Amino acid sequence: MAQENPFKSILKTLEKPDGGHFGEYYSLPALNDPRIDKLPYSIKILLESAIRNCDEFQVKSADVEKIIDWENTSPKQVEIPFKPARVLLQDLTGVPAVVDLACMRDAMKKLGGDSKKINPLVPVDLVIDHSVQVDVARLENALQANMELEFKRNKERFAFLKWGSNAFDNMLVVPPGSGIVHQVNLEYLGRVVFNTNGVLYPDSVVGTDSHTTMIDGLGVAGWGVGGIEAEAAMLGQPMSMVLPGVVGFKLLGKLKDGVTATDLVLTVTQMLRKHGVVGKFVEFYGEGMSELSLADRATIANMSPEYGATMGFFPVDHVTLQYLQLTGRSDETIAMIESYLRANKMFVDYNEPQIEKVYSSYLELNLEDVEPCISGPKRPHDRVPLKEMKADWHACLDNRVGFKGFAIPKESQNKVAKFSFHGTPAELRHGDVVIAAITSCTNTSNPSVMLGAALVAKKACEFGLEVKPWIKTSLAPGSGVVTKYLEKSGLQKYMNQLGFHIVGYGCTTCIGNSGDIDESVSSAIAENDMVAAAVLSGNRNFEGRIHPLTRANYLASPPLVVAYALAGTVDIDFETEPIGTGKDGKQVFFRDIWPSSEEVANVVQSSVLPDMFKATYEAITKGNPMWNQLSVPSSTLYAWDPTSTYIHEPPYFQDMTMSPPGPHGVKDAYCLLNFGDSITTDHISPAGSIHRDSPAAKYLMEHGVDRRDFNTYGSRRGNDEIMVRGTFANIRLVNKLLQGEVGPKTIHIPTGEKLSVYDVAMRYKAAGQDTIILAGAEYGCGSSRDWAAKGPILLGVKAVIAKSFERIHRSNLVGMGVIPLCFKAGEDADTLGLTGHERYTIDLPSSASEIRPGQDVTVTTDSGKSFTCTIRFDTEVELAYFDHGGILQYVIRNLIGAKQ
């Protein structure tokens, strides 16, 4: 049971310099513990959260001690609870969260409670981060056309979220068209320091977008999580996380003239991949920090998923404060942020002697050593210095098929594919660029590279250079501010002239939304087996992701994207070969169109202004015409439409009563699926397109939805009927019950029939029969996803018995009321002689007080075999969730006032 905070004695008042006070705060220096001074800044944020939220139930004094003793505890993989200051949702992952809140309100009302009490307990920022198709890329009205298309496709989903923004307190919904989620977070949503009811504390955030890490560049601790962790966090529940190691990354010196932030990011990504930082924080420090703009820092932080770290963290310093001023934060807010962080020794002042922090391991980079580069052709950490690009390209043509090879025979490497492009003769060679995209994800937060790209365009236009008409060019800024400063600088017209029209402010080519390549070009590529190239300023270039016909995909800075679009090929040495021929007939070289760092800095200085940020984000409160025209009811309870195929009320709270169901074992359960090792959330979760022969497709057709309107599982995440039918629907699923056959089917044990997983599960449910899943090691590895746990419970799965679980997926299963069990060391289904054709009984004590975290339980089968497993409820909090049937039920009963 929760108790009074044992650390209330270190609650201090933060005085204002001119009298009065900002509020109270938990003072880390007041603990008088010398270990705290040596802690990395990122760990101090975890420490402050643990101290402030300590109640000896969800967060214990022992957890605080683990964090203070980080130097000794972090190598031991200890777990701690963490309560972030806020939650960030994208619309696709936000929809199921709002659906669950709406359902909780209904359940609360049925149980006689005040339904209005169901609100996020921590602030939730939900950004409608629509994806943008670039089919209309070269049209002047591309932005408007894409917005109209998005509203037509997603009107129902958008209207539901608009209802949620009015119905729930503590939830801000950012309308579509404002910007991409992590960019809006950086420019507008990030608080850096919160002041809630007079208590000050550091901003921290978990988000359902993997590039939530961009906010780490602002000194805010943030990273991506799955939907269930996000929902639990917004309902005030702690997240369980492994106390991470921290890699200290020292930066020295200054970038050379003409070297971009992207060049730096690709260099850092390669270094960190090589070092190995999975599951760790990376914290940057050193004198080179003061030379890095906030936008440069945010670009590095954004790439954390690509180098594998949980965070790439930049502590707050004077550069952070300058950026807060630029982006329109008030002087008083900035003064509060600086005062609080200085008082708690979480501010970096380069004018003062630096206390040496302790890190788990160390890396160092002199910024002067960074050189222009790109990455590819298939992975973000395969960096290629620009001067070596031509040689590297030819090596890729020669090499056997792999991350750096295409195995093109020597005699075919100079092949020319001739075709007709709208009546004009044209040619394609290996390495020719067919997609050139400045995408929203990574670099478009950065005025220096965006305006640098526009300066390249200006110089190219002045020389009379053009981009070949069949190259699919597009510009998708991360926020509307970019449009304003490109217009202010007078440079957008040159981008337009080269075909880089603004198509929207959302995910584009980087996520596969490049749209179709012109039919004549695609035919030339396919018929001649050409290795065509895409060059993009994004962060992911995995094979098949950008476009099925671009086998070579390179990540590059926005200015280099423009340069490669002009050259029309990646098979070029920019040092010695001309990029094209000017209108005067003379050759134009890369150096002729490349701006100096001073030129770029001058344009940034004169064109990027605070008023632009204020004006852009007024749209969050004012909306836009299409958003404002959406008609939504004003009721606090949602009026569910039973005919909707996008938004549906899930059955989580059917038959819920005020009394917790208590621990419940499993009796005579059938095995729904029998898996080996490494079953990932990609195998479990509904994802991608809806296959025409799947149960989900059948459901949609029965509800009058035409095949061309199926959309994706992602867009229909608010409808449990579709998502449950897509659970375990992966075509690469290997289920031992099928004896070698691969696919989304299983055996109905009583009859021996082979059917879809959904159909078999529904047969068991209709007969009132429980089911379990058998699995090997690392069950649920991969990106954690809410439907990987929601789907199984809706299929009727009561328990998963595995050799081991991925940490977050195990906690998600507990959150949904599924029992996770581990075989004893050295045992699994095969060694125990289990085929999956048995019936399984799991005996649990009938009282929650008789179950202990990690205790042994016996599993018996109807074949006479029995074995011992470890029950994987790892904390008392998880036991409380299970006692209530899941996190959501636990929260409802506690809000009504039920006894725990």
Side-chain angles (χ1 to χ4, degrees):
M1 295 291 290
Q3 298 175 16
E4 187 178 59
N5 192 321
F7 293 96
K8 64 177 185 179
S9 63
I10 63 166
L11 202 55
K12 306 291 182 189
T13 299
L14 185 65
E15 307 289 344
K16 289 185 177 179
D18 55 354
H21 57 85
F22 290 112
E24 294 185 308
Y25 71 103
Y26 285 89
S27 168
L28 301 186
L31 286 171
N32 292 318
D33 194 318
R35 293 174 296 176
I36 294 175
D37 285 340
K38 292 183 176 182
L39 289 178
Y41 291 96
S42 48
I43 298 298
K44 283 187 179 181
I45 292 174
L46 302 184
L47 174 61
E48 189 283 335
S49 173
I51 288 170
R52 178 168 36 87
N53 291 296
C54 189
D55 62 357
E56 299 297 5
F57 175 59
Q58 292 185 333
V59 183
K60 300 184 178 183
S61 301
D63 298 315
V64 173
E65 172 57 27
K66 284 177 191 173
I67 302 172
I68 293 175
D69 200 33
W70 170 85
E71 191 177 349
N72 297 311
T73 54
S74 62
K76 297 174 184 172
Q77 294 283 292
V78 301
E79 292 209 15
I80 58 159
F82 175 57
K83 286 193 170 189
R86 64 188 170 97
V87 173
L88 181 68
L89 303 174
Q90 270 180 307
D91 62 328
L92 290 183
T93 44
V95 167
V98 179
V99 164
D100 288 352
L101 284 172
C103 284
M104 289 173 75
R105 278 205 168 162
D106 291 344
M108 190 90 158
K109 187 180 180 187
K110 285 173 189 167
L111 291 171
D114 179 1
S115 63
K116 289 182 183 175
K117 279 189 175 180
I118 297 289
N119 282 299
L121 294 178
V122 303
V124 172
D125 301 320
L126 195 158
V127 181
I128 301 183
D129 178 5
H130 65 302
S131 55
V132 178
Q133 298 291 335
V134 296
D135 291 330
V136 291
R138 284 198 173 216
L139 300 179
E140 284 287 356
N141 65 345
L143 178 60
Q144 182 66 18
N146 270 316
M147 281 291 284
E148 287 171 3
L149 185 63
E150 277 298 297
F151 267 83
K152 184 180 174 185
R153 282 177 176 164
N154 300 296
K155 184 178 179 182
E156 194 176 339
R157 198 170 83 231
F158 290 171
F160 174 68
L161 292 175
K162 188 176 180 182
W163 167 81
S165 70
N166 299 326
F168 296 105
D169 298 332
N170 231 6
M171 179 185 286
L172 171 69
V173 175
V174 178
S178 304
I180 198 164
V181 58
H182 34 270
Q183 184 65 38
V184 175
N185 194 22
L186 188 75
E187 292 177 354
Y188 181 76
L189 299 172
R191 278 68 151 187
V192 186
V193 171
F194 266 89
N195 186 343
T196 304
N197 301 323
V199 176
L200 282 72
Y201 52 95
D203 187 4
S204 57
V205 59
V206 292
T208 53
D209 171 71
S210 63
H211 290 104
T212 299
T213 53
M214 191 179 217
I215 200 68
D216 305 336
L218 196 69
V220 174
W223 58 87
V225 295
I228 290 177
E229 301 99 284
E231 285 189 42
M234 74 189 200
L235 293 169
Q237 301 306 301
M239 289 171 45
S240 178
M241 63 180 286
V242 172
L243 187 60
V246 183
V247 178
F249 199 123
K250 190 173 188 178
L251 297 171
L252 306 166
K254 184 179 180 180
L255 291 174
K256 287 185 296 200
D257 189 45
V259 175
T260 68
T262 316
D263 302 323
L264 170 59
V265 171
L266 296 178
T267 304
V268 167
T269 299
Q270 185 184 42
M271 288 176 68
L272 288 168
R273 267 279 171 186
K274 188 176 178 184
H275 187 74
V277 292
V278 173
K280 295 175 183 170
F281 289 176
V282 176
E283 184 166 296
F284 293 88
Y285 70 104
E287 63 200 52
M289 288 274 282
S290 57
E291 296 292 338
L292 279 189
S293 73
L294 198 290
D296 290 354
R297 298 174 182 193
T299 311
I300 294 169
N302 181 296
M303 286 285 273
S304 293
E306 281 65 51
Y307 45 80
T310 303
M311 283 205 301
F313 187 75
F314 291 82
V316 176
D317 60 14
H318 70 283
V319 175
T320 322
L321 301 180
Q322 288 165 3
Y323 181 81
L324 292 171
Q325 203 162 24
L326 171 68
T327 48
R329 273 78 162 195
S330 72
D331 290 344
E332 183 168 357
T333 298
I334 295 168
M336 176 197 76
I337 289 168
E338 183 175 3
S339 296
Y340 168 79
L341 293 173
R342 282 187 183 276
N344 238 354
K345 296 192 176 178
M346 298 166 89
F347 185 86
V348 180
D349 190 332
Y350 300 106
N351 296 319
E352 296 175 357
Q354 300 295 303
I355 296 174
E356 196 68 33
K357 303 294 176 189
V358 173
Y359 294 108
S360 309
S361 60
Y362 297 82
L363 280 173
E364 188 174 299
L365 173 65
N366 190 325
L367 299 178
E368 290 171 15
D369 295 337
V370 177
E371 55 186 325
C373 57
I374 64 178
S375 272
K378 302 180 187 183
R379 295 190 300 185
H381 52 283
D382 288 335
R383 188 179 68 91
V384 186
L386 205 58
K387 64 189 180 190
E388 297 172 18
M389 180 57 197
K390 189 177 178 78
D392 191 83
W393 171 251
H394 284 276
C396 286
L397 289 178
D398 288 334
N399 293 345
R400 62 187 177 84
V401 174
F403 292 123
K404 293 290 289 184
F406 299 104
I408 302 298
K410 281 281 187 198
E411 63 274 14
S412 302
Q413 290 183 11
N414 294 318
K415 183 196 282 189
V416 179
K418 295 181 182 294
F419 65 103
S420 173
F421 182 77
H422 297 209
T424 305
E427 295 180 347
L428 269 183
R429 293 173 172 80
H430 292 300
D432 277 5
V433 174
V434 294
I435 293 174
I438 299 175
T439 63
S440 58
C441 25
T442 311
N443 297 280
T444 52
S445 66
N446 199 324
S448 65
V449 291
M450 294 303 290
L451 288 165
L455 284 170
V456 169
K458 177 177 185 284
K459 291 170 184 275
C461 289
E462 288 169 349
F463 277 112
L465 299 181
E466 295 178 346
V467 175
K468 292 184 176 74
W470 57 81
I471 297 177
K472 193 154 196 178
T473 46
S474 61
L475 167 58
S479 102
V481 177
V482 181
T483 305
K484 289 183 169 60
Y485 63 64
L486 283 172
E487 291 291 350
K488 165 80 175 164
S489 67
L491 296 173
Q492 179 63 52
K493 62 184 178 185
Y494 301 109
M495 296 293 279
N496 292 347
Q497 196 173 322
L498 296 183
F500 288 94
H501 293 286
I502 292 175
V503 296
Y505 305 105
C507 288
T508 56
T509 306
C510 202
I511 202 171
N513 285 353
S514 55
D516 293 332
I517 294 170
D518 187 271
E519 196 175 323
S520 63
V521 182
S522 57
S523 296
I525 295 169
E527 290 166 12
N528 295 279
D529 196 28
M530 304 304 290
V531 184
V535 183
L536 61 149
S537 69
N539 43 31
R540 291 181 183 167
N541 57 335
F542 305 115
E543 205 167 10
R545 182 183 174 97
I546 309 305
H547 193 283
L549 291 174
T550 59
R551 279 193 273 168
N553 301 287
Y554 285 94
L555 304 182
S557 66
L560 276 176
V561 171
V562 177
Y564 273 111
L566 290 161
T569 181
V570 296
D571 185 6
I572 182 172
D573 179 349
F574 281 143
E575 287 277 320
T576 60
E577 297 178 77
I579 215 163
T581 305
K583 56 192 173 189
D584 59 1
K586 292 181 181 175
Q587 292 182 330
V588 180
F589 287 84
F590 178 80
R591 57 183 170 272
D592 299 325
I593 61 170
W594 198 254
S596 68
S597 298
E598 187 180 2
E599 281 179 273
V600 174
N602 289 340
V603 179
V604 170
Q605 187 70 34
S606 60
S607 305
V608 185
L609 307 172
D611 287 350
M612 295 176 176
F613 293 89
K614 289 177 182 172
T616 297
Y617 289 109
E618 275 179 3
I620 289 174
T621 48
K622 292 183 178 177
N624 60 55
M626 283 182 272
W627 176 256
N628 293 339
Q629 285 163 19
L630 287 174
S631 175
V632 298
S634 57
S635 58
T636 55
L637 294 174
Y638 188 68
W640 302 98
D641 176 2
T643 64
S644 170
T645 57
Y646 276 97
I647 308 294
H648 184 264
E649 181 180 13
Y652 303 136
F653 307 109
Q654 277 180 357
D655 307 321
M656 181 179 167
T657 64
M658 274 299 294
S659 300
H664 43 280
V666 176
K667 186 165 178 60
D668 290 333
Y670 284 102
C671 176
L672 180 64
L673 294 150
N674 183 3
F675 292 131
D677 295 343
S678 301
I679 289 294
T680 71
T681 48
D682 281 326
H683 291 114
I684 307 168
S685 287
S689 59
I690 296 171
H691 195 272
R692 61 176 57 196
D693 298 323
S694 66
K698 186 181 174 188
Y699 173 88
L700 287 169
M701 286 188 284
E702 285 171 354
H703 284 73
V705 178
D706 194 272
R707 263 189 191 144
R708 69 172 178 269
D709 297 323
F710 277 3
N711 218 324
T712 62
Y713 282 113
S715 65
R716 294 188 181 273
R717 290 179 76 143
N719 188 317
D720 60 286
E721 293 281 10
I722 290 164
M723 298 302 279
V724 71
R725 286 166 170 79
T727 303
F728 296 113
N730 190 299
I731 57 172
R732 293 182 180 85
L733 206 65
V734 179
N735 169 18
K736 293 179 187 177
L737 292 176
L738 295 181
Q739 297 183 326
E741 185 181 334
V742 176
K745 295 195 173 182
T746 194
I747 301 296
H748 181 248
I749 304 295
T751 62
E753 287 181 82
K754 181 173 68 177
L755 302 164
S756 73
V757 174
Y758 172 78
D759 288 336
V760 170
M762 291 306 105
R763 277 206 190 176
Y764 287 134
K765 277 188 92 169
Q769 293 159 337
D770 289 347
T771 55
I772 60 127
I773 288 171
L774 294 174
E778 298 179 333
Y779 181 77
C781 53
S783 305
S784 56
R785 294 182 182 156
D786 52 344
W787 277 102
K790 287 179 174 177
I793 194 72
L794 293 177
L795 286 172
V797 174
K798 294 294 190 287
V800 179
I801 310 174
K803 281 176 76 173
S804 63
F805 291 91
E806 190 277 334
R807 192 177 58 81
I808 293 173
H809 183 62
R810 182 205 60 79
S811 120
N812 284 349
L813 290 173
V814 174
M816 292 310 298
V818 178
I819 306 168
L821 295 160
C822 276
F823 291 110
K824 286 296 182 182
E827 294 183 347
D828 59 21
D830 291 341
T831 64
L832 292 167
L834 304 173
T835 64
H837 288 261
E838 307 85 356
R839 297 186 74 170
Y840 295 79
T841 296
I842 303 166
D843 282 321
L844 290 183
S846 57
S847 167
S849 61
E850 294 176 44
I851 305 179
R852 299 180 315 281
Q855 80 177 51
D856 285 349
V857 297
T858 301
V859 181
T860 57
T861 68
D862 63 343
S863 66
K865 287 182 177 139
S866 69
F867 52 98
T868 304
C869 286
T870 303
I871 195 163
R872 288 297 310 279
F873 300 130
D874 290 357
T875 64
E876 292 172 31
V877 177
E878 289 188 346
L879 278 172
Y881 294 159
F882 183 64
D883 189 41
H884 282 262
I887 286 179
L888 304 181
Q889 293 86 344
Y890 169 86
V891 170
I892 290 172
R893 291 192 184 98
N894 277 314
L895 283 173
I896 294 178
K899 290 180 181 177
Q900 290 182 8

